[in-house]
Amino acid sequence: REIYKVISNYVEKYNNTPSIEAIDIDLQKTNQNEEQYKTLQNYIEQLQPSESEYVWLLDETEKWCKDRAIYNAIFSGIQIIDGKDKKKTPEAIPDILTKALAVSFDTQVGHDYIDQSTERYEFYHTVEEKIPFDLDFFNKITKGGMPNKTLNIVLAGTGVGKSLFMCHVAAASLMKNYNVLYITLEMAEKKIAERIDANLMNISLDDLHDLPARMFTDKFSRIQKKTQGKLIVKEYPTASANTGHFRALLNELALKKSFRPDIVFVDYLNICSSSRFKMGASINSYSYIKSIAEELRGLAVEFNLPIMSATQTTRQGYVSTDVGLEDTSESFGLPATADLMFAIISTEELEKLNQILVKQLKNRYNDPTLNRRFIIGVDRAKMKLFDVSQKAQEDLVNTGQEEAVFDKFKDFKV
C-alpha cells in the first residue's frame, strides 16, 4: 500500500514511471520503522528499473536546498537571540528568513523584451508540434493541424455529424501513428469502435455486421500493420464524468498500460459534468458549461495535448443554413474559451451531393476570414470524410478562399 501511494503520487505529478531510487527516497519520507522500511526495500528491489526523471531530480534538489536554507536561517536567528552573533541584531531575523524562503532554481520572473530578443526569434522559427488532419482545408485553416494545449470544438445540430467528424479524425490520427484516447459520454464504447472500423476498413456499417470472421480478421490485420499508434475508447455514463475522472483515467493508462495519448476526444462537452460546480438552482447554464470548457482546456495544458470536443446548436441554429457563434447552445462562454471552433452544416441539397458545409467561427491559429466557408465530402454509411474538388467550392458566398483567375493560355490559374 505504501509503495503504491508513492508510485501513484509520482505518476500524478510527473506523468511518468518513477525510478527505484525515486521510490526509495520518497519512502524514506514516510513514517516507517526500520523493520518496515527494510520490508519495503525488498519489495522495490523486485520492481523493473527505469531511468530517473530529470524534473524529479531538479524538484528534489531544490526542495533539499530550500529545507537547508530555512534550517540555517532559523539556526542563525537562534544565535542572534542568544547573543552569540555579535554582528547582527534581532531586526535582521525577518530579512534572513525572507531570503531563505526565496531560495529557488526558477529564475524566470517574466519575459525581458530587450534582453531576451534572441529567445523570441528562436521561438518564431520553432516548428510547433501539431496533430495534422487528413483534410486539406482543415490543415489550411489551422496551419498544419491542432497544436498541443488547445481546446477544439465542433458545433452542429442533432444528427448532422459531430460524432462522425470526431470518429473520422480519431481514425485518421491513429493511421498517422498517434496514440488516441476517445472518451464517450453518449454512445457505447463498441459503437464508437464500430464507426472507426467502418471508416478504416472502408465498408458500410451494414456490411460490417455481415462480414465473415476470417475477412474481418484479414482487414483488421492490414490496419494493424499500417500504424504504430493505439486507440483507447472509454465510456462514462452521461453527465457523470468530469475532468477529475479524465485525469485519473490518463494517469491510470500511463501506469497500467504505458499509454500516453497524443490527442483526446471528448464526445461531447455539454454532457460532461463540472469538477468545480454542481448544477442546480445556484448556478446557470452559462457558468456551468463555461466551467466545463475551462476545465477541459486546463486538462489539455496540463497533459500537453490537444482536446477535441463538440457542442449542440440552439433550435434556431438547427434550421439555419448560416450558423454563427450566437447559435451555440446553453453558454456563450464555450466559444470564449475554445481555441478553434467551427460549425458543420447540412442541407437537403448538400445531403443529395454527399457533402457538408464547414464554417469557421473562431480561430486562434490563423485568420478566420481566410477559407471561412468550405465544402467537404461525407460518406455516412462508411463514417468517412474526404476532400472534394475545387469546383464544389465555387457556389459558396463569402468564403475567403483564393479566387480562380481565368488565363487565356491555360484553363485556370489559382
Side-chain angles (χ1 to χ4, degrees), residues 184-252:
T184 172
L185 294 97
E186 189 175 36
M187 288 187 286
E189 293 172 354
K190 289 183 174 63
K191 283 288 183 182
I192 296 295
E194 176 190 37
R195 290 178 169 216
I196 292 172
D197 271 338
N199 181 295
L200 295 178
M201 293 181 184
N202 198 31
I203 59 174
S204 70
L205 289 170
D206 291 337
D207 291 340
L208 183 63
H209 288 273
D210 297 331
L211 206 63
R214 185 175 178 180
M215 196 175 291
F216 177 86
T217 305
D218 289 343
K219 282 181 175 289
F220 191 74
S221 297
R222 285 197 288 271
I223 292 170
Q224 276 185 305
K225 290 174 184 175
K226 289 179 182 177
T227 181
Q228 299 297 316
K230 281 188 176 181
L231 169 64
I232 302 287
V233 184
K234 174 62 178 175
E235 178 188 1
Y236 288 99
T238 303
S240 67
N242 57 49
T243 49
H245 298 91
F246 304 157
R247 184 179 291 104
L249 173 64
L250 287 162
N251 290 330
E252 247 187 306

Side-chain angles (χ1 to χ4, degrees), residues 140 390 401-407 410-414:
K140 284 181 183 178
Q390 184 62 34
Q401 295 180 23
E402 295 177 340
E403 295 182 1
V405 182
F406 182 71
D407 188 325
K410 296 180 180 177
D411 291 336
F412 280 100
K413 180 173 69 177
V414 178

Side-chain angles (χ1 to χ4, degrees), residues 27-160:
L27 282 172
Q28 290 173 27
K29 299 173 188 175
T30 60
N31 297 322
Q32 307 291 333
N33 59 42
E34 190 175 347
E35 187 178 342
Q36 288 171 330
Y37 177 67
K38 283 182 180 178
T39 305
L40 291 170
Q41 274 192 317
N42 291 333
Y43 273 111
I44 63 174
E45 284 173 4
Q46 299 170 31
L47 298 175
Q48 187 175 352
S50 62
E51 293 182 6
S52 293
E53 179 78 15
Y54 172 76
V55 179
W56 173 82
L57 284 170
L58 198 66
D59 287 348
E60 288 296 313
T61 308
E62 182 180 21
K63 188 175 181 301
W64 185 87
C65 290
K66 279 184 177 180
D67 291 344
R68 294 307 301 172
I70 293 168
Y71 175 85
N72 290 336
I74 292 170
F75 186 75
S76 297
I78 293 169
Q79 285 191 315
I80 292 168
I81 292 168
D82 290 345
K84 294 179 181 178
D85 190 337
K86 305 295 183 183
K87 294 181 181 178
K88 294 175 184 174
T89 63
E91 285 79 12
I93 294 174
D95 185 52
I96 293 170
L97 287 170
T98 301
K99 286 179 179 177
L101 291 168
V103 170
S104 174
F105 288 0
D106 184 11
T107 58
Q108 182 69 26
V109 290
H111 178 75
D112 191 313
Y113 181 78
I114 302 298
D115 294 343
Q116 293 181 296
S117 59
T118 305
E119 293 177 22
R120 199 161 60 251
Y121 178 82
E122 289 173 358
F123 169 75
Y124 296 155
H125 293 81
T126 301
V127 178
E128 190 174 14
E129 189 178 341
K130 295 185 175 184
I131 305 292
F133 293 90
D134 67 334
L135 300 164
D136 288 341
F137 270 104
F138 276 98
N139 283 327
K140 284 181 183 178
I141 67 173
T142 57
K143 290 186 175 179
M146 290 175 283
N148 290 333
K149 303 181 181 181
T150 58
L151 177 64
N152 308 273
I153 300 293
V154 186
L155 172 66
T158 304
V160 174

Side-chain angles (χ1 to χ4, degrees), residues 150-329:
T150 58
L151 177 64
N152 308 273
I153 300 293
V154 186
L155 172 66
T158 304
V160 174
K162 297 186 300 296
S163 296
L164 186 155
F165 184 91
M166 288 197 288
C167 284
H168 174 85
V169 177
S173 300
L174 176 66
M175 298 315 291
K176 290 180 184 289
N177 299 316
Y178 291 107
N179 286 336
V180 179
L181 173 62
Y182 197 109
I183 297 170
T184 172
L185 294 97
E186 189 175 36
M187 288 187 286
E189 293 172 354
K190 289 183 174 63
K191 283 288 183 182
I192 296 295
E194 176 190 37
R195 290 178 169 216
I196 292 172
D197 271 338
N199 181 295
L200 295 178
M201 293 181 184
N202 198 31
I203 59 174
S204 70
L205 289 170
D206 291 337
D207 291 340
L208 183 63
H209 288 273
D210 297 331
L211 206 63
R214 185 175 178 180
M215 196 175 291
F216 177 86
T217 305
D218 289 343
K219 282 181 175 289
F220 191 74
S221 297
R222 285 197 288 271
I223 292 170
Q224 276 185 305
K225 290 174 184 175
K226 289 179 182 177
T227 181
Q228 299 297 316
K230 281 188 176 181
L231 169 64
I232 302 287
V233 184
K234 174 62 178 175
E235 178 188 1
Y236 288 99
T238 303
S240 67
N242 57 49
T243 49
H245 298 91
F246 304 157
R247 184 179 291 104
L249 173 64
L250 287 162
N251 290 330
E252 247 187 306
L253 288 170
L255 187 64
K256 294 178 179 176
K257 289 197 167 188
S258 298
F259 175 84
R260 294 178 181 83
D262 299 301
I263 183 170
V264 173
F265 295 83
V266 179
D267 191 5
Y268 61 97
L269 187 144
N270 293 62
I271 53 176
C272 294
S273 61
S274 171
S275 61
R276 293 181 292 172
F277 301 112
K278 197 158 189 149
M279 191 61 176
S282 61
I283 186 165
N284 55 41
S285 63
Y286 173 90
S287 302
Y288 192 73
I289 300 300
K290 187 175 190 294
S291 73
I292 295 171
E294 289 169 347
E295 289 159 17
L296 278 177
R297 194 176 187 282
L299 191 72
V301 173
E302 181 183 340
F303 286 90
N304 191 34
L305 46 75
I307 291 179
M308 174 169 274
S309 191
T311 188
Q312 296 271 21
T313 58
T314 58
R315 282 175 291 180
Q316 183 180 347
Y318 180 70
V319 296
S320 174
T321 57
D322 189 26
V323 176
L325 285 175
E326 70 279 3
D327 295 309
T328 307
S329 69

